[in-house]
Amino acid sequence: MTKMADNTQSVEVVEGCRLPVLRKNQEHEDEWPLAEILSVKEVSGRKLYYVHYIDFNKRLDEWVTADRLDMKKLQFPKKDAKPSTKNGLPGSRPSSPEREVRKGVETNPPPVTAPRGKTLPTLQHKRKVEMAPTVAPVSQVIPVPSIPTPPEVSQVSVFPTVRETNIFKSREDHDLTMNGTARRLVPTPQPGRKRKAPCSGPDEIKVLPYNNSQSATVYLAPPEDSQDSSDGIPSAPRMTGSLVSDRSHDDIVTRMKNIECIELGRHRLKPWYFSPYPQELTALPILYLCEFCLKYLKSLKCLQRHLTKCNLRHPPGNEIYRKGTISFFEIDGRKNKNYSQNLCLLAKCFLDHKTLYYDTDPFLFYVMTEYDFKGFHIVGYFSKEKESTEDYNVACILTLPPYQRRGYGKLLIEFSYELSKVEGKTGTPEKPLSDLGLLSYRSYWSQTILEILMDLKPDNGERPQITINEISELTSVKKEDVISTLQYLNLINYYKGQYILTLSEDIVDGHEKAMQKRHLRIDPKCLHFTPKDWSKRGKW
């Protein structure tokens, strides 16, 4: 029982209650965000409450004591409320007009049309009440300003984007404990593919010489093979692979962190999310991992005994890249199943959307390590499907917290595209991306594309020309990602019947400062990689 401030009565705080909870923000100042009580336990005669801060990322969830609760603003859960009342997620999403829609359906539903820039809520599949046949389900989209297009010019396909913080902000702005939730990129569904009108001009980019007195301008004509935005992009993230999770089945167990601390080599890591380690290990104060084979053990003595037997000093598999102390190892999920499963369990502690734990056969894992006299220490990794029909070159990607904000994330992304270049393909990461993953990819795409545009030289006194397809081939970045990045940077304009890209002085200065800080780069000469044809089952 938790006493109220006036000490005249006692109130029991139960699961589902909401109230302000004291926490420190990034500036180490006190704040009282609204939080939901997910669990209550008693340790040494003192009650602890597991709270989820509403509209904050789940990695900030924590156990708090009663003195951090503001009992004056306590909100009790409604008795008749169902466990999932908001967008199919129990108490962790903004409110939606779903109830009002259902009430209208139960009586006499009028014709409903979706207003511009908004979408109609769709009912969960578990609800017995069905929508009226006049209401068609509408996919959730993120509205973006459209580019004006005259009738005589075919429209360039644009992938809807989410505007985040400035791509050239310092790394301090991208704090790992930042607020916010994972964002999803969902393309706008098209009613059908239409035959494009013939383009009079080539797919080209013309660049004006840059000087301090005026901004550089890039002229962009519509690509010759422009297509609908739905062509080549699934209308929604597919429900297979390793980053897709059905959030409607979230329960109280998977919403709570179950591992208190992980010791990996010389680092101790505090997990951000739930990971399905054996239940008998979740009650331990520290879970010990072998940093070379990633086997989990219950005590330091067991780890020491294991290290006398473990012969690994690097990840199993082939070393396909080495420069300085940085190495990359390619690991087959079928040939090295135990290591791959242990890697997935560790990664789940820091990836909220990851659902692949045991079925590792269809995946390849590329582990980045740092070498010292003791061996090759894991820094991060990414996985990819052996065969991907959607041109995904990354399924999951993670830099371990001790190595974050040091440039390793972009190095992993750059390495994934170097593999795509060797394979002769263009690639894109599997959706949805986490909030930190989206920031890293946006930054990498922006720097890579601007690097190419600024390196273009005038040819015989005329403006240099380059096509969207040529940018995609040079970088192995999928064409939709190239166009979405240009739109994200707000470079696309329409001028005298042409699409133009305007590089302002601020964009150029910001790019140059960002590139000066980027010391870690992939050297293609150090890559020793031969792609395999995984379409033949015998290769597995």
Side-chain angles (χ1 to χ4, degrees):
M1 307 290 281
T2 304
K3 297 289 184 181
M4 295 187 67
D6 55 5
N7 291 324
T8 58
Q9 55 180 325
S10 60
V11 177
E12 183 177 5
V13 179
V14 297
E15 298 175 1
C17 290
R18 293 190 176 192
L19 72 172
V21 177
L22 176 64
R23 68 178 298 271
K24 298 284 187 181
N25 59 19
Q26 295 182 14
E27 288 76 25
H28 302 286
E29 299 173 347
D30 291 346
E31 62 179 5
W32 294 84
L34 184 65
E36 178 185 0
I37 305 295
L38 298 185
S39 182
V40 182
K41 69 178 181 180
E42 190 167 345
V43 178
S44 302
R46 186 175 63 167
K47 278 194 174 183
L48 297 177
Y49 303 89
Y50 191 88
V51 298
H52 166 67
Y53 299 102
I54 308 299
D55 296 330
F56 285 65
N57 193 282
K58 286 201 304 184
R59 61 175 169 265
L60 300 180
D61 296 0
E62 59 181 339
W63 290 97
V64 301
T65 54
D67 57 348
R68 293 175 57 181
L69 307 180
D70 185 359
M71 300 298 299
K72 297 179 181 179
K73 300 180 180 179
L74 179 63
Q75 305 173 15
F76 287 99
K78 297 181 180 179
K79 295 182 179 180
D80 297 332
K82 295 184 178 180
S84 59
T85 59
K86 295 187 178 181
N87 268 350
L89 291 181
S92 61
R93 294 292 184 273
S95 59
S96 68
E98 187 173 343
R99 291 178 184 167
E100 286 72 15
V101 173
R102 289 187 64 221
K103 288 179 182 178
V105 171
E106 289 172 358
T107 56
N108 187 13
V112 182
T113 57
R116 179 167 299 181
K118 297 183 179 179
T119 57
L120 293 177
T122 56
L123 297 182
Q124 301 295 327
H125 64 279
K126 295 184 179 179
R127 303 283 172 87
K128 294 182 179 180
V129 181
E130 297 182 355
M131 295 291 291
T134 56
V135 182
V138 181
S139 302
Q140 184 178 0
V141 298
I142 302 172
V144 294
S146 59
I147 304 173
T149 307
E152 64 272 8
V153 181
S154 61
Q155 183 176 359
V156 176
S157 58
V158 178
F159 192 82
T161 61
V162 182
R163 182 164 299 279
E164 293 293 337
T165 55
N166 193 337
I167 203 68
F168 300 114
K169 280 190 177 181
S170 62
R171 289 186 180 177
E172 287 74 18
D173 294 339
H174 297 162
D175 195 281
L176 291 179
T177 57
M178 60 186 289
N179 305 336
T181 58
R183 295 168 174 83
R184 303 179 64 179
L185 296 178
V186 183
T188 305
Q190 299 290 339
R193 187 182 301 182
K194 298 180 180 178
R195 184 170 297 276
K196 56 185 177 296
C199 300
S200 57
D203 170 18
E204 61 183 22
I205 298 177
K206 301 178 182 179
V207 183
L208 287 176
Y210 173 78
N211 54 53
N212 294 331
S213 61
Q214 63 177 1
S215 301
T217 304
V218 181
Y219 290 91
L220 170 63
E224 211 167 85
D225 57 345
S226 65
Q227 54 191 359
D228 293 339
S229 61
S230 62
D231 190 14
I233 312 176
S235 58
R238 65 195 183 99
M239 299 310 294
T240 59
S242 57
L243 269 183
V244 179
S245 62
D246 186 2
R247 303 302 298 276
S248 62
H249 293 145
D250 277 4
D251 55 26
I252 197 65
V253 176
T254 59
R255 290 182 66 196
M256 295 173 53
K257 305 171 191 175
N258 59 335
I259 304 295
E260 185 68 25
C261 181
I262 292 177
E263 184 170 306
L264 179 67
R266 62 179 181 271
H267 301 291
R268 285 195 173 179
L269 316 177
K270 189 174 181 180
W272 295 350
Y273 307 108
F274 170 88
S275 184
Y277 279 103
Q279 190 170 2
E280 59 270 18
L281 301 179
T282 60
L284 300 174
I286 299 177
L287 178 63
Y288 295 88
L289 299 187
C290 172
E291 62 177 328
F292 300 113
C293 70
L294 303 182
K295 181 179 180 179
Y296 45 85
L297 303 114
K298 64 180 181 179
S299 67
L300 181 59
K301 192 170 187 65
C302 291
L303 176 63
Q304 293 170 346
R305 189 184 305 124
H306 166 79
L307 291 176
T308 61
K309 307 173 190 176
C310 184
N311 298 322
L312 279 180
R313 288 299 176 265
H314 60 78
N318 300 323
E319 185 180 11
I320 60 175
Y321 179 90
R322 181 189 292 184
K323 184 176 182 181
T325 60
I326 301 297
S327 294
F328 280 85
F329 291 82
E330 182 185 51
I331 297 157
D332 191 326
R334 184 183 69 86
K335 295 180 179 178
N336 300 281
K337 189 178 293 287
N338 287 336
Y339 181 89
S340 301
Q341 291 176 352
N342 290 336
L343 178 60
C344 290
L345 287 173
L346 173 62
K348 180 60 185 73
C349 292
F350 307 99
L351 295 174
D352 190 21
H353 292 273
K354 185 176 178 63
T355 58
L356 171 72
Y357 314 123
Y358 304 110
D359 184 19
T360 60
D361 288 14
F363 289 88
L364 294 170
F365 298 84
Y366 295 90
V367 178
M368 180 171 62
T369 63
E370 205 173 44
Y371 175 77
D372 64 12
F373 67 96
K374 291 185 179 180
F376 295 81
H377 308 279
I378 181 172
V379 172
Y381 90 104
F382 69 88
S383 61
K384 64 185 292 187
E385 291 180 288
K386 295 176 181 177
E387 291 183 275
S388 176
T389 57
E390 291 89 357
D391 294 330
Y392 290 137
N393 64 351
V394 166
C396 289
I397 185 168
L398 170 70
T399 304
L400 293 176
Y403 300 96
Q404 290 179 354
R405 300 173 67 184
R406 292 165 57 180
Y408 289 116
K410 279 197 183 70
L411 199 66
L412 282 167
I413 297 173
E414 186 178 2
F415 188 78
S416 69
Y417 282 108
E418 285 297 329
L419 296 183
S420 296
K421 291 178 184 178
V422 176
E423 294 171 348
K425 301 177 182 177
T426 59
T428 187
E430 193 171 310
K431 310 300 187 302
L433 291 169
S434 65
D435 52 354
L436 299 179
L438 180 61
L439 285 174
S440 298
Y441 265 95
R442 282 293 182 202
S443 177
Y444 172 79
W445 288 334
S446 300
Q447 292 179 9
T448 303
I449 294 172
L450 288 174
E451 197 172 24
I452 289 178
L453 295 179
M454 293 176 61
D455 287 344
L456 293 176
K457 304 295 182 183
D459 187 16
N460 295 329
E462 294 188 3
R463 302 185 187 113
Q465 300 179 2
I466 189 172
T467 65
I468 293 292
N469 286 336
E470 287 174 350
I471 295 178
S472 181
E473 291 172 3
L474 288 172
T475 61
S476 284
V477 178
K478 205 168 184 180
K479 188 167 65 173
E480 288 78 10
D481 294 332
V482 174
I483 297 174
S484 69
T485 302
L486 294 175
Q487 186 185 26
Y488 166 77
L489 292 173
N490 202 22
L491 301 182
I492 299 179
N493 296 288
Y494 191 73
Y495 179 72
K496 292 185 178 180
Q498 285 184 315
Y499 292 116
I500 66 169
L501 304 179
T502 305
L503 302 179
S504 64
E505 293 184 12
D506 292 340
I507 290 288
V508 174
D509 292 342
H511 172 71
E512 291 176 348
K513 291 179 181 178
M515 296 305 293
Q516 289 175 359
K517 298 179 181 178
R518 189 173 165 186
H519 304 295
L520 295 175
R521 300 297 296 267
I522 294 294
D523 186 356
K525 298 177 182 178
C526 300
L527 176 63
H528 305 280
F529 170 70
T530 303
K532 294 181 181 180
D533 183 11
W534 295 103
S535 61
K536 299 177 181 178
R537 185 65 181 179
K539 295 271 187 181
W540 286 42

